[in-house]
């Protein structure tokens, strides 16, 4: 469910990025897009490990690793094509178009379980605060 919220914010920000009036606005929107898209890979791996049957987990990890390799090598070619044939705006709008499709797939793939209220982890909160302060 966290992935769906982050993806919704990422979609909105990606759609707005080409309309940024200045450098600082674009930078702020890029930071928000980066923070929300940063949840995709970690939550995707958690999703694979928690929902796939044990005999299929290795294939889920392989698809996850292949996705990272494929996207990092193909993204620059797609971005170049967008700039040559369409507009640089499509570099961001591409994400705004395809993220809702990903959200639909995730929505249908999430097992229907009641939401449990987690107990706060004070140790985790302390480490998170320390990590933010070190940044």
């Amino acid at each position: 469910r966290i992935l769906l919220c982050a993806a919704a914010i990422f979609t909105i920000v990606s759609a707005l990025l080409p309309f940024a009036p200045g450098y600082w606005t674009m930078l702020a929107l890029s930071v928000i897009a980066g923070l929300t898209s940063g949840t995709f890979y970690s939550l995707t791996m958690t999703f694979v490990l928690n929902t796939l049957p044990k005999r299929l987990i290795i294939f889920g990890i392989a698809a996850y690793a292949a996705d990272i390799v494929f996207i990092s090598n193909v993204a620059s070619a797609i971005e170049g094509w967008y700039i040559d044939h369409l507009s640089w705006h499509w570099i961001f709008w591409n994400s705004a178009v395809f993220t809702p499709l990903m959200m639909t797939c995730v929505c249908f793939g999430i097992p229907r379980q009641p939401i449990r209220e987690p107990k706060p982890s004070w140790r985790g909160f302390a480490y998170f605060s320390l990590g933010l302060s070190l940044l």
Side-chain angles (χ1 to χ4, degrees), residues 50-64:
N50 286 333
T51 58
L52 285 179
K54 286 192 184 230
R55 62 183 171 78
L56 297 177
I57 287 178
I58 193 70
F59 296 108
I61 294 171
Y64 175 82

Side-chain angles (χ1 to χ4, degrees), residues 6 9-10 13-14 17 20 23-39 92 132 135:
I9 295 169
F10 178 73
V13 170
S14 293
L17 258 164
Y23 172 75
W24 293 106
T25 307
M26 184 175 250
L27 186 64
L29 289 172
S30 294
V31 166
I32 294 169
L35 289 172
T36 55
S37 68
T39 63
F92 300 107
L132 284 180
L135 283 177

Side-chain angles (χ1 to χ4, degrees), residues 65-118:
D67 172 58
I68 294 170
V69 171
F70 178 76
I71 293 301
S72 62
N73 290 316
V74 173
S76 57
I78 293 172
E79 290 170 358
W81 188 87
Y82 282 155
I83 291 172
D84 287 344
H85 297 287
L86 296 174
S87 167
W88 65 269
H89 298 93
W90 278 99
I91 293 172
F92 300 107
W93 288 336
N94 184 48
S95 300
V97 168
F98 287 112
T99 304
L101 178 64
M102 178 199 76
M103 292 170 61
T104 304
C105 293
V106 168
C107 188
F108 285 117
I110 293 175
R112 304 292 176 225
Q113 298 173 349
I115 297 175
R116 296 175 296 159
E117 289 295 323

